[in-house]
Amino acid sequence: MRQIVTVFLLLTSTALMAGEAELLVYQVKEPGVDNYVSRILVNKRYLRLDEGGEPDAGYTIYDRQEKKIFNVDPLEKTVLEMNPPAFQPAPPADLDLEEQVTTDPDSPAVAGQQPVKIKLQANGETCRELVVIKDTLTGAVSAMKELYQALARLQYPAVGSPGYTENSCELSEYIYAPQRAFLHGLPLWDVMGGKQRMLVDFKDAFEVPDDTFAVPDDFER
């Protein structure tokens, strides 16, 4: 695991003095694919998401200040730049969103916090179940919420088009309320559909190379 966590892509790019970042590492299980690692690095300006742990794998940079998303492909030497619209869609009247929050006083504390169980529902259907802790890596939690809200703004214009999903859970989690998963704290365990994410490592001050959050200048956009 340590070997996977410390893999960094050293690319020719504009160097940014990153210094330290908050680190989250999730083990991900989903049907039809081998288990893989999802690593998230966050500082005040950027979020970086690496999935798979391979040195030549693509990664995503989210510029929290400019509200832009960059998908970087080192193999193809390309960068896909996405500019989410400013409009954040609100849930329609016929989408009833509810949540259940429970605590288990017998569960062991994590980082000094008591885990809380969250069940997210849409129109009476359970969409997502999480175990979270409060007041831990709050910067990373906020950045993830910002990223998924930005992705929702990108996808919203397709709602109502032919073939688009009418599934209440997918609409709530990907379009109208993606922030719900991060409102109660840091997810330790996150299950949605057949996909399961389990936190296996985290640090509030993880040293990173200077170019960790850089978008390569010499890649085709």
Side-chain angles (χ1 to χ4, degrees):
M1 176 59 67
R2 292 292 174 185
Q3 184 177 7
I4 294 176
V5 171
T6 54
V7 167
F8 288 96
L9 303 177
L10 301 179
L11 302 169
T12 302
S13 55
T14 303
L16 299 174
M17 296 302 293
E20 292 184 342
E22 294 185 357
L23 166 72
L24 301 174
V25 182
Y26 288 92
Q27 184 76 35
V28 184
K29 300 179 181 180
E30 56 180 312
V33 300
D34 294 335
N35 296 349
Y36 61 92
V37 169
S38 175
R39 186 191 68 166
I40 300 163
L41 293 165
V42 175
N43 65 13
K44 291 183 179 180
R45 173 71 185 267
Y46 297 99
L47 177 152
R48 172 169 170 156
L49 172 63
D50 297 84
E51 293 195 322
E54 298 298 329
D56 58 353
Y59 58 95
T60 298
I61 299 289
Y62 177 57
D63 187 329
R64 305 174 66 187
Q65 179 175 309
E66 298 294 330
K67 312 297 184 185
K68 294 183 178 182
I69 302 170
F70 303 90
N71 282 344
V72 181
D73 186 334
L75 288 178
E76 298 294 331
K77 296 187 180 300
T78 60
V79 175
L80 174 61
E81 179 179 337
M82 291 171 281
N83 296 276
F87 176 71
Q88 192 76 49
D94 60 353
L95 185 61
D96 182 23
L97 302 179
E98 295 182 345
E99 62 182 42
Q100 297 179 10
V101 181
T102 59
T103 57
D104 181 1
D106 296 326
S107 62
V110 177
Q113 301 291 329
Q114 192 71 32
V116 175
K117 295 180 180 179
I118 310 293
K119 184 178 289 187
L120 303 178
Q121 298 174 316
N123 291 344
E125 180 182 355
T126 297
C127 304
R128 195 167 185 171
E129 296 183 77
L130 305 103
V131 176
V132 307
I133 51 174
K134 296 180 178 180
D135 305 322
T136 305
L137 272 68
T138 55
V141 173
S142 294
M144 287 191 291
K145 181 174 67 175
E146 294 165 18
L147 171 62
Y148 285 101
Q149 286 181 308
L151 289 170
R153 296 199 301 271
L154 278 173
Q155 297 180 79
Y156 174 69
V159 174
S161 61
Y164 198 84
T165 180
E166 295 183 0
N167 180 286
S168 297
C169 283
E170 292 182 2
L171 288 173
S172 66
E173 295 302 316
Y174 297 128
I175 302 296
Y176 295 112
Q179 74 282 359
R180 291 201 300 169
F182 308 104
L183 292 180
H184 294 275
L186 173 66
L188 304 178
W189 183 73
D190 180 358
V191 176
M192 183 168 61
K195 186 173 183 178
Q196 175 178 312
R197 300 167 73 245
M198 181 173 63
L199 188 67
V200 294
D201 196 9
F202 63 96
K203 290 181 173 64
D204 59 1
F206 184 70
E207 291 187 7
V208 295
D210 294 343
D211 61 354
T212 296
F213 298 102
V215 178
D217 293 331
D218 58 343
F219 282 15
E220 179 183 357
R221 297 220 178 185

